[in-house]
Amino acid sequence: MKRKQSRIIIGTAISAAAIAIAVDHTRQRLPEPEITVASQDAVIIIDEGDELPVDNAGDCSKPDRPGRQASPCSL
Amino acid sequence: MPMCASKTRQHKSYWAQQLFHCIEEMAQLNTNAVLLTLADVDVVESGRSYPDEGLMFANKRWRAFYHCHEAATQHENEHGHFHIFTEIGEQEWAHAAGLAIDDSGQPLHWFAVNRWVTDGPWLDRVQFIQQLQATTDNEQDSLAGRWLFALLRLHQSELIDMFQSRDKQLRSHPDHLQHAVALEDRNIYTLAIEKIELQAMLEKNLLH
């Protein structure tokens, strides 16, 4: 009985160790993010002669025309 | 899908096994879900979402992206986070959860954000449970996608708790009677957090 118990404990320890080792191998340093100077919301192609669009994208003070910055984590 | 496979997927031990398989695969490659997501990126820019087209998983019913904010808006010890969305209609995506990641690529905690942060439709707790249980894993998904879905399913109870905390937090808002006003309050970014103890969670569901 004593021997059987020891075996179970060893088995459990190995499995727990396997989890710890696997998780540990996924601990890999992530690259430091660079702070962007200005974000680009979209590429707008303007045909020659056309008027330039009003540049208020991202201006949270204009709720009727919310830009991407109004919802910083949207899809 | 065979009945027994469907039933098996209701058990946490199934998702713990799936998650552990993903971790083992990543361990062999000395990588993690974030590094896999950023694999083709030369310079990581804060505020930008990766991958550009989004990370689709679980039969394209779930979608995520990873990004970093400038330090001032991050949670403590956080490198960046995944935002996870679920499809609730024709091309209609609702935010389900945020997943904060530390600088060695390990999950720190789940978090729920206010509606204005992610825009789109508001997902309630019942919808969340239905969405999670209605979709299944797909072996064809990317490793990062399979890891995300297994992590979500394994933490289903904790995420339901987080949704309850989120709703309780909203009810304590001065404008709680005007639900829409509270959801757009720019002073509130995070509504609830649920800590992740990965090692303990795996041990609990794989060994016991």
Side-chain angles (χ1 to χ4, degrees), chain B residues 8-9 11-26 136-139 143 146-151 153-154 202 205-206:
Chain B
T8 305
R9 284 176 168 84
H11 294 289
K12 276 190 166 189
S13 58
Y14 173 85
W15 296 106
Q17 275 176 10
Q18 297 305 308
L19 182 60
F20 186 56
H21 290 327
C22 292
I23 291 169
E24 276 187 315
E25 255 184 85
M26 289 173 185
T136 188
D137 49 339
N138 187 337
E139 284 178 17
L143 181 51
R146 281 185 283 131
W147 178 84
L148 272 175
F149 194 61
L151 202 64
R153 289 297 302 253
L154 182 59
L202 286 170
N205 290 285
L206 288 174

Tab-separated table of all heavy atoms in Angstrom, chain B residues 8-9 11-26 136-139 143 146-151 153-154 202 205-206:
chain	number	residue	atom	x	y	z
B	8	THR	N	-18.214	15.735	-24.409
B	8	THR	CA	-16.870	15.901	-23.854
B	8	THR	C	-16.490	17.375	-23.799
B	8	THR	O	-15.859	17.819	-22.853
B	8	THR	CB	-15.854	15.139	-24.733
B	8	THR	OG1	-16.292	13.800	-24.827
B	8	THR	CG2	-14.471	15.180	-24.147
B	9	ARG	N	-16.929	18.095	-24.822
B	9	ARG	CA	-16.559	19.513	-24.901
B	9	ARG	C	-17.229	20.369	-23.823
B	9	ARG	O	-16.914	21.528	-23.679
B	9	ARG	CB	-16.875	20.054	-26.307
B	9	ARG	CG	-15.876	19.605	-27.346
B	9	ARG	CD	-16.273	20.069	-28.739
B	9	ARG	NE	-15.190	19.902	-29.703
B	9	ARG	CZ	-14.925	18.784	-30.343
B	9	ARG	NH1	-15.648	17.712	-30.107
B	9	ARG	NH2	-13.935	18.713	-31.206
B	11	HIS	N	-16.971	19.582	-20.757
B	11	HIS	CA	-16.134	19.417	-19.569
B	11	HIS	C	-14.873	20.283	-19.636
B	11	HIS	O	-14.231	20.368	-20.682
B	11	HIS	CB	-15.727	17.951	-19.407
B	11	HIS	CG	-16.891	17.048	-19.110
B	11	HIS	ND1	-17.539	17.063	-17.903
B	11	HIS	CD2	-17.518	16.119	-19.874
B	11	HIS	CE1	-18.533	16.172	-17.943
B	11	HIS	NE2	-18.540	15.599	-19.125
B	12	LYS	N	-14.559	20.844	-18.501
B	12	LYS	CA	-13.364	21.690	-18.428
B	12	LYS	C	-12.099	20.899	-18.746
B	12	LYS	O	-11.145	21.434	-19.288
B	12	LYS	CB	-13.243	22.309	-17.031
B	12	LYS	CG	-14.060	23.556	-16.849
B	12	LYS	CD	-13.691	24.224	-15.536
B	12	LYS	CE	-14.225	25.631	-15.484
B	12	LYS	NZ	-13.711	26.365	-14.319
B	13	SER	N	-12.103	19.605	-18.351
B	13	SER	CA	-10.893	18.797	-18.558
B	13	SER	C	-10.552	18.698	-20.055
B	13	SER	O	-9.382	18.671	-20.426
B	13	SER	CB	-11.075	17.408	-17.960
B	13	SER	OG	-12.183	16.770	-18.540
B	14	TYR	N	-11.593	18.681	-20.904
B	14	TYR	CA	-11.341	18.633	-22.352
B	14	TYR	C	-10.582	19.889	-22.790
B	14	TYR	O	-9.592	19.814	-23.507
B	14	TYR	CB	-12.659	18.525	-23.134
B	14	TYR	CG	-12.476	18.652	-24.633
B	14	TYR	CD1	-12.134	17.546	-25.407
B	14	TYR	CD2	-12.618	19.883	-25.271
B	14	TYR	CE1	-11.946	17.664	-26.782
B	14	TYR	CE2	-12.428	20.009	-26.639
B	14	TYR	CZ	-12.094	18.905	-27.393
B	14	TYR	OH	-11.893	19.028	-28.746
B	15	TRP	N	-11.060	21.048	-22.295
B	15	TRP	CA	-10.442	22.316	-22.719
B	15	TRP	C	-9.072	22.494	-22.076
B	15	TRP	O	-8.178	23.109	-22.681
B	15	TRP	CB	-11.386	23.482	-22.412
B	15	TRP	CG	-12.630	23.337	-23.237
B	15	TRP	CD1	-13.870	22.957	-22.807
B	15	TRP	CD2	-12.729	23.470	-24.661
B	15	TRP	NE1	-14.739	22.871	-23.879
B	15	TRP	CE2	-14.072	23.178	-25.023
B	15	TRP	CE3	-11.824	23.816	-25.671
B	15	TRP	CZ2	-14.519	23.215	-26.348
B	15	TRP	CZ3	-12.270	23.857	-26.996
B	15	TRP	CH2	-13.598	23.562	-27.311
B	16	ALA	N	-8.895	21.932	-20.883
B	16	ALA	CA	-7.572	21.971	-20.248
B	16	ALA	C	-6.583	21.155	-21.089
B	16	ALA	O	-5.439	21.562	-21.289
B	16	ALA	CB	-7.654	21.426	-18.826
B	17	GLN	N	-7.049	20.010	-21.584
B	17	GLN	CA	-6.187	19.179	-22.436
B	17	GLN	C	-5.845	19.896	-23.740
B	17	GLN	O	-4.706	19.891	-24.182
B	17	GLN	CB	-6.882	17.861	-22.765
B	17	GLN	CG	-6.698	16.810	-21.692
B	17	GLN	CD	-7.472	15.537	-21.987
B	17	GLN	OE1	-8.000	15.371	-23.086
B	17	GLN	NE2	-7.570	14.670	-21.005
B	18	GLN	N	-6.863	20.506	-24.347
B	18	GLN	CA	-6.628	21.239	-25.600
B	18	GLN	C	-5.623	22.369	-25.376
B	18	GLN	O	-4.719	22.582	-26.187
B	18	GLN	CB	-7.939	21.827	-26.152
B	18	GLN	CG	-8.979	20.799	-26.540
B	18	GLN	CD	-8.446	19.773	-27.529
B	18	GLN	OE1	-7.889	20.136	-28.566
B	18	GLN	NE2	-8.583	18.518	-27.212
B	19	LEU	N	-5.815	23.077	-24.274
B	19	LEU	CA	-4.923	24.199	-23.970
B	19	LEU	C	-3.503	23.694	-23.731
B	19	LEU	O	-2.537	24.272	-24.238
B	19	LEU	CB	-5.436	24.956	-22.736
B	19	LEU	CG	-4.637	26.185	-22.332
B	19	LEU	CD1	-4.613	27.231	-23.450
B	19	LEU	CD2	-5.203	26.810	-21.068
B	20	PHE	N	-3.394	22.601	-22.988
B	20	PHE	CA	-2.071	22.057	-22.692
B	20	PHE	C	-1.374	21.592	-23.981
B	20	PHE	O	-0.177	21.796	-24.150
B	20	PHE	CB	-2.166	20.915	-21.678
B	20	PHE	CG	-0.822	20.411	-21.242
B	20	PHE	CD1	0.117	21.270	-20.685
B	20	PHE	CD2	-0.476	19.073	-21.393
B	20	PHE	CE1	1.367	20.820	-20.294
B	20	PHE	CE2	0.782	18.609	-21.004
B	20	PHE	CZ	1.698	19.484	-20.455
B	21	HIS	N	-2.133	20.991	-24.903
B	21	HIS	CA	-1.552	20.579	-26.193
B	21	HIS	C	-0.994	21.807	-26.928
B	21	HIS	O	0.083	21.752	-27.510
B	21	HIS	CB	-2.590	19.885	-27.079
B	21	HIS	CG	-2.993	18.532	-26.565
B	21	HIS	ND1	-2.129	17.698	-25.903
B	21	HIS	CD2	-4.168	17.858	-26.636
B	21	HIS	CE1	-2.757	16.579	-25.566
B	21	HIS	NE2	-3.999	16.660	-25.994
B	22	CYS	N	-1.753	22.888	-26.912
B	22	CYS	CA	-1.297	24.126	-27.568
B	22	CYS	C	-0.016	24.633	-26.910
B	22	CYS	O	0.941	25.014	-27.599
B	22	CYS	CB	-2.364	25.218	-27.474
B	22	CYS	SG	-3.841	24.896	-28.437
B	23	ILE	N	-0.002	24.612	-25.578
B	23	ILE	CA	1.175	25.096	-24.842
B	23	ILE	C	2.388	24.216	-25.142
B	23	ILE	O	3.503	24.710	-25.344
B	23	ILE	CB	0.869	25.163	-23.322
B	23	ILE	CG1	-0.148	26.277	-23.054
B	23	ILE	CG2	2.141	25.391	-22.505
B	23	ILE	CD1	-0.720	26.280	-21.650
B	24	GLU	N	2.155	22.906	-25.201
B	24	GLU	CA	3.260	21.988	-25.535
B	24	GLU	C	3.815	22.287	-26.928
B	24	GLU	O	5.020	22.295	-27.136
B	24	GLU	CB	2.767	20.540	-25.484
B	24	GLU	CG	2.774	19.943	-24.085
B	24	GLU	CD	2.442	18.462	-24.098
B	24	GLU	OE1	1.480	18.095	-24.795
B	24	GLU	OE2	3.140	17.697	-23.426
B	25	GLU	N	2.894	22.530	-27.886
B	25	GLU	CA	3.325	22.860	-29.253
B	25	GLU	C	4.144	24.138	-29.266
B	25	GLU	O	5.173	24.231	-29.938
B	25	GLU	CB	2.084	23.074	-30.146
B	25	GLU	CG	1.806	21.935	-31.095
B	25	GLU	CD	0.632	22.236	-32.009
B	25	GLU	OE1	0.831	22.876	-33.046
B	25	GLU	OE2	-0.498	21.825	-31.675
B	26	MET	N	3.674	25.123	-28.529
B	26	MET	CA	4.394	26.405	-28.459
B	26	MET	C	5.737	26.211	-27.759
B	26	MET	O	6.740	26.795	-28.166
B	26	MET	CB	3.566	27.434	-27.688
B	26	MET	CG	2.337	27.910	-28.433
B	26	MET	SD	1.345	28.965	-27.348
B	26	MET	CE	-0.092	29.256	-28.360
B	136	THR	N	-17.551	25.539	-31.672
B	136	THR	CA	-16.611	24.511	-31.235
B	136	THR	C	-15.234	24.794	-31.820
B	136	THR	O	-15.066	25.665	-32.680
B	136	THR	CB	-17.131	23.117	-31.619
B	136	THR	OG1	-16.293	22.144	-31.009
B	136	THR	CG2	-17.157	22.914	-33.124
B	137	ASP	N	-14.271	24.066	-31.326
B	137	ASP	CA	-12.903	24.271	-31.788
B	137	ASP	C	-12.725	23.681	-33.185
B	137	ASP	O	-13.506	22.843	-33.627
B	137	ASP	CB	-11.904	23.643	-30.805
B	137	ASP	CG	-12.266	22.216	-30.428
B	137	ASP	OD1	-13.442	21.850	-30.580
B	137	ASP	OD2	-11.388	21.475	-29.971
B	138	ASN	N	-11.701	24.149	-33.853
B	138	ASN	CA	-11.415	23.676	-35.201
B	138	ASN	C	-9.915	23.401	-35.313
B	138	ASN	O	-9.103	24.302	-35.096
B	138	ASN	CB	-11.840	24.749	-36.215
B	138	ASN	CG	-11.733	24.260	-37.635
B	138	ASN	OD1	-10.979	23.324	-37.945
B	138	ASN	ND2	-12.489	24.867	-38.530
B	139	GLU	N	-9.594	22.152	-35.633
B	139	GLU	CA	-8.184	21.754	-35.713
B	139	GLU	C	-7.430	22.513	-36.789
B	139	GLU	O	-6.201	22.564	-36.781
B	139	GLU	CB	-8.081	20.251	-35.987
B	139	GLU	CG	-8.375	19.399	-34.768
B	139	GLU	CD	-8.323	17.912	-35.066
B	139	GLU	OE1	-7.756	17.530	-36.102
B	139	GLU	OE2	-8.873	17.141	-34.262
B	143	LEU	N	-2.400	28.016	-34.397
B	143	LEU	CA	-2.067	27.630	-33.023
B	143	LEU	C	-2.511	28.719	-32.040
B	143	LEU	O	-3.079	28.409	-30.974
B	143	LEU	CB	-0.547	27.370	-32.926
B	143	LEU	CG	0.020	26.927	-31.589
B	143	LEU	CD1	-0.733	25.752	-31.009
B	143	LEU	CD2	1.509	26.591	-31.739
B	146	ARG	N	-6.303	28.477	-31.655
B	146	ARG	CA	-6.716	27.320	-30.834
B	146	ARG	C	-6.428	27.590	-29.359
B	146	ARG	O	-7.209	27.235	-28.486
B	146	ARG	CB	-5.982	26.061	-31.297
B	146	ARG	CG	-6.598	25.457	-32.565
B	146	ARG	CD	-5.926	24.154	-32.941
B	146	ARG	NE	-4.638	24.376	-33.577
B	146	ARG	CZ	-3.499	23.768	-33.258
B	146	ARG	NH1	-3.483	22.879	-32.297
B	146	ARG	NH2	-2.388	24.022	-33.904
B	147	TRP	N	-5.290	28.233	-29.098
B	147	TRP	CA	-4.910	28.579	-27.715
B	147	TRP	C	-5.942	29.543	-27.112
B	147	TRP	O	-6.399	29.344	-25.982
B	147	TRP	CB	-3.512	29.216	-27.735
B	147	TRP	CG	-2.971	29.672	-26.411
B	147	TRP	CD1	-2.329	28.906	-25.479
B	147	TRP	CD2	-3.004	31.003	-25.878
B	147	TRP	NE1	-1.953	29.693	-24.403
B	147	TRP	CE2	-2.360	30.974	-24.617
B	147	TRP	CE3	-3.501	32.224	-26.345
B	147	TRP	CZ2	-2.211	32.107	-23.822
B	147	TRP	CZ3	-3.353	33.351	-25.549
B	147	TRP	CH2	-2.715	33.284	-24.303
B	148	LEU	N	-6.317	30.557	-27.893
B	148	LEU	CA	-7.289	31.539	-27.409
B	148	LEU	C	-8.637	30.892	-27.092
B	148	LEU	O	-9.239	31.169	-26.053
B	148	LEU	CB	-7.512	32.637	-28.457
B	148	LEU	CG	-6.579	33.846	-28.433
B	148	LEU	CD1	-6.870	34.759	-29.615
B	148	LEU	CD2	-6.719	34.626	-27.122
B	149	PHE	N	-9.098	30.027	-27.998
B	149	PHE	CA	-10.422	29.436	-27.797
B	149	PHE	C	-10.417	28.465	-26.608
B	149	PHE	O	-11.357	28.453	-25.811
B	149	PHE	CB	-10.908	28.736	-29.072
B	149	PHE	CG	-12.373	28.413	-29.036
B	149	PHE	CD1	-13.321	29.420	-28.922
B	149	PHE	CD2	-12.831	27.107	-29.102
B	149	PHE	CE1	-14.684	29.134	-28.868
B	149	PHE	CE2	-14.187	26.806	-29.055
B	149	PHE	CZ	-15.119	27.825	-28.935
B	150	ALA	N	-9.361	27.682	-26.486
B	150	ALA	CA	-9.270	26.750	-25.347
B	150	ALA	C	-9.210	27.534	-24.032
B	150	ALA	O	-9.832	27.151	-23.036
B	150	ALA	CB	-8.045	25.854	-25.495
B	151	LEU	N	-8.486	28.649	-24.044
B	151	LEU	CA	-8.387	29.497	-22.849
B	151	LEU	C	-9.759	30.072	-22.482
B	151	LEU	O	-10.147	30.099	-21.315
B	151	LEU	CB	-7.382	30.617	-23.116
B	151	LEU	CG	-6.729	31.300	-21.923
B	151	LEU	CD1	-5.860	30.341	-21.118
B	151	LEU	CD2	-5.865	32.478	-22.375
B	153	ARG	N	-12.772	28.799	-23.305
B	153	ARG	CA	-13.679	27.740	-22.841
B	153	ARG	C	-13.304	27.238	-21.443
B	153	ARG	O	-14.174	26.956	-20.629
B	153	ARG	CB	-13.688	26.565	-23.841
B	153	ARG	CG	-14.372	26.858	-25.159
B	153	ARG	CD	-15.866	27.164	-25.034
B	153	ARG	NE	-16.657	26.124	-24.428
B	153	ARG	CZ	-17.499	25.312	-25.053
B	153	ARG	NH1	-17.654	25.424	-26.369
B	153	ARG	NH2	-18.207	24.419	-24.415
B	154	LEU	N	-12.007	27.149	-21.197
B	154	LEU	CA	-11.561	26.689	-19.877
B	154	LEU	C	-11.974	27.680	-18.779
B	154	LEU	O	-12.257	27.284	-17.655
B	154	LEU	CB	-10.038	26.493	-19.879
B	154	LEU	CG	-9.407	25.966	-18.593
B	154	LEU	CD1	-9.982	24.607	-18.204
B	154	LEU	CD2	-7.893	25.839	-18.747
B	202	LEU	N	-4.575	24.682	-14.961
B	202	LEU	CA	-4.241	23.451	-15.693
B	202	LEU	C	-4.103	22.274	-14.729
B	202	LEU	O	-4.611	21.186	-14.992
B	202	LEU	CB	-2.953	23.649	-16.497
B	202	LEU	CG	-3.093	24.509	-17.757
B	202	LEU	CD1	-1.727	24.844	-18.335
B	202	LEU	CD2	-3.935	23.808	-18.817
B	205	ASN	N	-7.508	21.009	-13.507
B	205	ASN	CA	-8.366	20.322	-14.472
B	205	ASN	C	-7.700	19.171	-15.212
B	205	ASN	O	-8.359	18.424	-15.931
B	205	ASN	CB	-8.913	21.338	-15.481
B	205	ASN	CG	-9.907	22.268	-14.842
B	205	ASN	OD1	-11.030	21.884	-14.570
B	205	ASN	ND2	-9.476	23.491	-14.547
B	206	LEU	N	-6.392	19.039	-15.038
B	206	LEU	CA	-5.698	17.917	-15.681
B	206	LEU	C	-5.302	16.832	-14.693
B	206	LEU	O	-5.256	15.660	-15.046
B	206	LEU	CB	-4.434	18.406	-16.401
B	206	LEU	CG	-4.628	19.208	-17.678
B	206	LEU	CD1	-3.285	19.735	-18.180
B	206	LEU	CD2	-5.289	18.364	-18.763
